[in-house]
Amino acid sequence: MSEAPYLTFDLDTPGVSRGHLVIPGGTDRGELSLPVFSLNKGEGPRLLVTGGNHGNELEGPIVARRLIKWLPEAQTCGRVIVLPVLNPLAVEAWSRNTPLDGLNLNRIFPGRADGSVTERIADAVSRVLLPMADTVFDLHSFGPTWDFPPAATTHPIADPDLMARTVRMAEAFKLPLTLVWQHNDTAGMFDITAQNQGKVFVCTEFGGGTVGADNLAIYEAGVRNAFIALGLIEGKAEYPTFRQQKSGQTLETRPSDELKSPAPGIFEPRCSVLDEVKQGDLVGILHPMDSLSAESIDIRAPETSIVLAVASGAHVEADKVVALVARPLKK
C-alpha cells in the first residue's frame, strides 16, 4: 500500500492522458482511485477543473465529462486537468458529506495524509494536482432544496490584485450572476487553500441541484466562455439564455444578508431569484406546523436588495436560513 498519493500517468506527456489519482488506504477503508483526464498542448494557461466536491450536486460531474469529449478538438494551447468526481463516496450516496466519516470535503482542505478518507482525498488533491495549476474551476450546484441562479462565485480576498483577477475570471463565465460571497463558514474550503497560494479559483454554483437539459446547457456554455477568456480555446463568448434573458450582473453578499426562520415550520417563497425587493417587501412566509392556532410569520426584506436564493418550500428548523439577498458589487 502506497504511503503517498500519486497519479498513474505523467502530466507532462503531450496530448491526451487518462489515468487515476490514487488515494492511499487507511484504517477506515482501502485505496481509492479517482479518474483523471489531462490534455497537454504545451505553453499556456494551466487549468484544473473539478466536480463532485459535494455528492448531492451532480451537474458538475456531468459538465466535467462533457468537457472531456470536446476539448481534444477545441483546445489550442496550455494544459487542462479534469477530475470529474472529487468525492466518489459522497456522490454514490447522493450526500453532501462523506458517509464513512461524516466530513464535508469542502471544509477540510488542505487535508491530512494520515487522516480519514475525506481528509486523504483533500490531501491528495492539494499535494498532487493543485501545484500543477494556475487557475481552478470547481463545479458545484447549490443543493437540492434551494432555488439559485447559475453563478460564478468567489470570496473576498485580501490581495487586491488576486481579488480583481478572480472577479474578472468569474465574470468571464457570463453566467446570470457573478457573486462575491462573504460568509463565516470558510475554514478548510478548497478555494481558500488555492487562493492562499496565489491561484485564481472560481467556484461555479449551478442552480438548485436538479439535473436538467436546459440548465446543463447553460452551465456548459458558461464553462466554455471561461475557456475562451483564458485563451485555451477559440470562439466568441456569449451570455447563455436564462429565463428568457441574456445578461449577467455582479453582486456581493454578507452574513447579515441571510434571512432566517424565526420558528420551525414550512417556508413558502413569495419571490423568485434575481427579483429586486425594497425594504419591507415580502420574501416568504413561515407556516408553523406544531400548532393550528399559531399565526404564519412574514419574512421581509431588510433593505433594498436582490433576491439571491430561496429555500424551495422546505421544512426548516428555527434560525435556519430560508433566503439570501445581495446587492451590486462596489468595485
Side-chain angles (χ1 to χ4, degrees):
M1 185 177 295
S2 172
E3 296 181 356
Y6 65 94
L7 279 171
T8 60
F9 62 94
D10 185 352
L11 287 173
D12 291 329
T13 301
V16 172
S17 299
R18 299 172 190 264
H20 293 84
L21 174 64
V22 178
I23 316 295
T27 57
D28 50 358
R29 70 149 292 145
E31 187 177 272
L32 275 176
S33 293
L34 310 186
V36 178
F37 167 93
S38 172
L39 178 51
N40 183 5
K41 290 205 171 179
E43 295 295 320
R46 303 191 305 165
L47 174 66
L48 170 63
V49 181
T50 57
N53 193 323
H54 292 138
N56 60 352
E57 302 174 10
L58 302 182
E59 292 92 340
I62 294 173
V63 171
R65 285 183 61 89
R66 288 186 176 185
L67 296 180
I68 292 169
K69 289 187 177 181
W70 54 257
L71 264 180
E73 295 296 324
Q75 187 176 326
T76 58
C77 66
R79 181 172 63 202
V80 178
I81 305 167
V82 184
L83 199 169
V85 176
L86 277 170
N87 192 346
L89 302 178
V91 169
E92 290 165 7
W94 198 68
S95 169
R96 180 176 176 83
N97 295 355
T98 309
L100 196 60
D101 56 18
L103 293 180
N104 178 343
L105 175 59
N106 205 31
R107 296 298 185 274
I108 50 85
F109 276 88
R112 291 172 49 209
D114 60 349
S116 69
V117 63
T118 312
E119 293 171 311
R120 296 197 303 276
I121 292 172
D123 172 72
V125 173
S126 299
R127 287 205 282 157
V128 178
L129 294 183
L130 191 56
M132 309 305 292
D134 303 314
T135 304
V136 182
F137 299 159
D138 192 26
L139 310 182
H140 286 250
S141 52
F142 206 64
T145 61
W146 286 88
D147 186 17
F148 190 87
T153 76
T154 185
H155 298 292
I157 304 169
D159 181 341
D161 176 67
L162 182 59
M163 182 79 242
R165 289 190 288 123
T166 301
V167 170
R168 285 197 300 270
M169 188 73 261
E171 290 175 334
F173 281 76
K174 296 188 178 298
L175 290 171
L177 181 64
T178 300
L179 180 66
V180 177
W181 194 338
Q182 180 183 349
H183 64 80
N184 298 324
D185 185 22
T186 58
M189 294 183 74
F190 189 12
D191 49 353
I192 303 300
T193 296
Q195 289 162 354
N196 286 342
Q197 298 177 22
K199 301 177 189 294
V200 170
F201 188 112
V202 177
C203 173
T204 51
E205 295 283 0
F206 288 165
T210 301
V211 176
D214 291 343
N215 282 346
L216 285 171
I218 292 173
Y219 311 151
E220 186 177 3
V223 173
R224 184 185 291 270
N225 286 340
F227 273 66
I228 293 171
L230 277 173
L232 288 164
I233 66 174
E234 296 178 347
K236 180 181 178 182
E238 296 183 352
Y239 287 102
T241 301
F242 177 69
R243 298 183 180 177
Q244 289 77 53
Q245 294 185 349
K246 285 192 172 187
S247 62
Q249 55 186 319
T250 302
L251 306 178
E252 61 181 344
T253 189
R254 305 178 298 244
S256 59
D257 294 321
E258 297 179 346
L259 308 187
K260 296 184 178 181
S261 170
I266 296 175
F267 178 68
E268 175 194 353
R270 284 296 184 93
C271 59
S272 299
V273 296
L274 301 184
D275 283 352
E276 184 174 335
V277 290
K278 295 181 172 59
Q279 184 178 12
D281 283 355
L282 186 64
V283 174
I285 301 174
L286 193 283
H287 301 284
M289 290 291 138
D290 55 357
S291 170
L292 294 179
S293 61
E295 294 291 332
S296 295
I297 304 167
D298 292 346
I299 296 176
R300 298 184 178 275
E303 60 182 283
T304 297
S305 50
I306 294 168
V307 177
L308 176 61
V310 290
S312 55
H315 184 279
V316 294
E317 299 300 321
D319 203 40
K320 293 297 183 181
V321 178
V322 293
L324 298 169
V325 295
R327 67 208 45 79
L329 175 67
K330 295 178 181 179
K331 296 185 179 180

